[in-house]
Amino acid sequence: MQSADSSDAKIFYSQNGQYLTPESPLPEPLSELQGRRIDVLSDDERGVRLQKGRQSLSREPDGACIPNGGLWPAICYRALQNGFTAERAVSPPVKSLNTPSFVHTEIPHLYDFVRQHRLGRIAYRNFDPALVIADLALTFRTAKIIVVGKHVNQLNRIHRVLSRFRVWSDYVCDRRPLHIPEGAEDSQLPQVILSTPTEVANLDGATADIVLLLQAETCANECFREMLAMRDGQFRLYGLMNEKTRVSPSESDVMYQVYGPEMVRLYPGKRTRRQLYVTWSATPGSSNSLTKSNEAFSRFCYWNHRQRNERICELATMLRGNADWDCRLLSDAGFCQRLFPRRPVSVAILVDRPCHAQILSTILPEWHVLASGDALHGMSGSFRRRVRQRRSPFTFYEQCIILVDSAQNHRSLASQISFDVVIWAGGGQSPAPVPQRWLRTSGRGSHPLLVIDFKDRHNRYARLLSKRRKNQYHQKEFFPPGISASQGRIATFLSRQAGEGGHHVEQ
């Protein structure tokens, strides 16, 4: 492998608008990046059949370029992995946004994101995308914004919302073109133009400051690709994405190709998603040969496994500052310690059975147990009384053993609080069922959430289930401490280039 210090270990790209092109043939280890697709093939017996395939993310089958500016971070990372450095020349340069003298923003996370990133996705849940557009227009009052959507009724609705915020806007479509007088100055045009993709070509969109796609996944559609193919484009490009929208693997890869790995998530109440991490602790102690179909499997592999329960409580005690930091207990101990330089931190032990909560509470008698009365049915009277007596709406809980059902119930006390660390004691094939509320933060500063799970090596099937959980954590964008969500998306995307289809992410 060549040294990255030598001059011939560099690869050069040129970028015009959303087109990113290598200036010379790529070295063998750096073949073009590919995405997933589904091919529909004819079949004599079944008529048609579906077959997984691969497609270039840099060019059409006939060799024509396609918008691919979002691939740059992955290209740089992959080049470094193979001993090269990647450089690019961007012409014309992407427009900078003027720093407003007064930041009129109701969505501070959006302002920070747009200032820092020229490409990206703006994901939302239970949030009106019209408010995103209004906030950008009010914050960057001199920025010309083009919003592209496929539904005229939606464009008209957003136009009415912007009018209520006194943002000068207009919407255009095939039946309602925008007349631009020859030689018109920017000040004579609406600040925000809402358009269908076929009309963007008439708007001189290349000189806009910001272009937003109302549905991020539509960048995979041919008409939207033509719109993004504007030469000399200087705009910042973002895709709005409803988190409830399901996208195919091919659409997911094309979105990465266009927008890159950066993403901000917006929720009501000025909230955004916390940085999410997952780390692992090895399960010590005795093994067994139970199959997962055995009704005693969970009882002896998780709930009643003495050494596993003791390890859970060791970790909880250490994180609460009642024991010295022991690097042997966690796989990413150094990174975890830097996440929380000051202890104690707030810790929730999440369990899926009340019997497990009772067992752990005997080892941690000072910890609160949060569970509904119905969930405790059948448990001992002394345990039920202790849970009820210690429950209080006026207590700030920092160390709790919480039943999953109680945490997920939006009316329960457990759903109204949040933690720094969640220890998932339940095991099984699913990752920690952390409530949505715990995944969000309203602060602009770093407030990460760390999930601790277990490498269950004491049973063959428990070991396989641990591996499944690990893959699912990465799908849900829980990455090892020290790896940001953006870095994790890059690593996950590149892990598919060799056809692995996995989600392995290393430090």
Side-chain angles (χ1 to χ4, degrees), residues 17 152 180 239 247 263 276 321 389 400 414:
V152 176
I180 301 177
V247 297
M263 183 185 299
L276 307 177
Q389 288 169 359
C400 296

Side-chain angles (χ1 to χ4, degrees), residues 18 70 113-114 117-123 211-213 216 236-241 255-256 258-264 489:
Q18 302 305 311
F113 182 78
V114 170
H117 304 294
R118 298 174 177 180
L119 294 173
R121 281 168 283 178
I122 301 169
V211 171
L212 292 104
L213 269 63
R236 306 164 91 88
L237 175 64
Y238 308 100
L240 290 163
M241 186 174 72
M255 281 197 289
Y256 187 98
V258 172
Y259 306 111
E262 302 296 343
M263 183 185 299
V264 64
R489 292 185 199 111

Side-chain angles (χ1 to χ4, degrees), residues 171-184:
Y171 73 98
V172 297
C173 60
D174 295 342
R175 299 188 303 273
R176 194 177 187 272
L178 179 68
H179 176 67
I180 301 177
E182 186 175 350

Side-chain angles (χ1 to χ4, degrees), residues 277-284 302 308 311-312 315 319 329-332 336 348 350 421-434 450-456 458 462-463 465-473 478 481:
Y277 297 112
V278 61
T279 191
W280 298 81
S281 182
T283 299
Y302 306 128
R308 192 179 190 273
R311 173 57 56 86
I312 291 169
L315 289 164
L319 290 161
L329 298 183
L330 291 171
S331 57
D332 306 295
C336 294
L350 205 55
V421 179
V422 172
I423 300 175
W424 173 225
Q429 65 179 359
S430 300
V434 182
L450 176 67
V451 170
I452 300 176
D453 207 325
F454 295 88
K455 299 176 183 176
D456 291 318
H458 57 288
R463 185 186 304 117
L465 294 175
S466 284
K467 290 181 178 180
R468 288 185 188 177
R469 293 201 301 275
K470 187 171 186 178
N471 285 336
Q472 289 189 48
Y473 278 117
F478 286 74

Side-chain angles (χ1 to χ4, degrees), residues 258-333:
V258 172
Y259 306 111
E262 302 296 343
M263 183 185 299
V264 64
R265 287 181 163 88
L266 305 177
Y267 307 108
K270 299 186 181 182
R271 293 180 175 271
T272 188
R273 198 180 194 192
R274 299 165 69 177
Q275 179 68 63
L276 307 177
Y277 297 112
V278 61
T279 191
W280 298 81
S281 182
T283 299
S286 60
S287 60
N288 63 65
S289 57
L290 292 170
T291 64
K292 59 182 179 180
S293 60
N294 191 310
E295 62 178 14
F297 175 81
S298 292
R299 186 163 70 250
F300 288 107
C301 286
Y302 306 128
W303 313 330
N304 285 11
H305 193 284
R306 181 177 60 82
Q307 294 95 333
R308 192 179 190 273
N309 286 333
E310 288 174 349
R311 173 57 56 86
I312 291 169
C313 296
E314 274 186 285
L315 289 164
T317 302
M318 179 182 75
L319 290 161
R320 289 295 298 152
N322 297 320
D324 292 336
W325 189 272
D326 188 346
C327 291
R328 296 169 299 178
L329 298 183
L330 291 171
S331 57
D332 306 295

Side-chain angles (χ1 to χ4, degrees), residues 5 10 22 43 55 63 88 103 116 128 154 156 165 187 196 225 247 271 273 288 326 368 372 382 401 417 468 500 506:
D5 294 330
K10 292 184 178 180
D43 189 295
Q55 62 185 359
R88 67 173 169 173
V103 179
Q116 295 168 13
D128 186 353
Q154 184 182 27
N156 186 18
F165 283 95
S187 59
T196 56
R225 283 196 177 196
V247 297
R271 293 180 175 271
R273 198 180 194 192
N288 63 65
D326 188 346
H368 293 86
S372 66
S382 59
I401 301 166
I417 53 182
R468 288 185 188 177
E500 302 162 3
E506 294 288 354

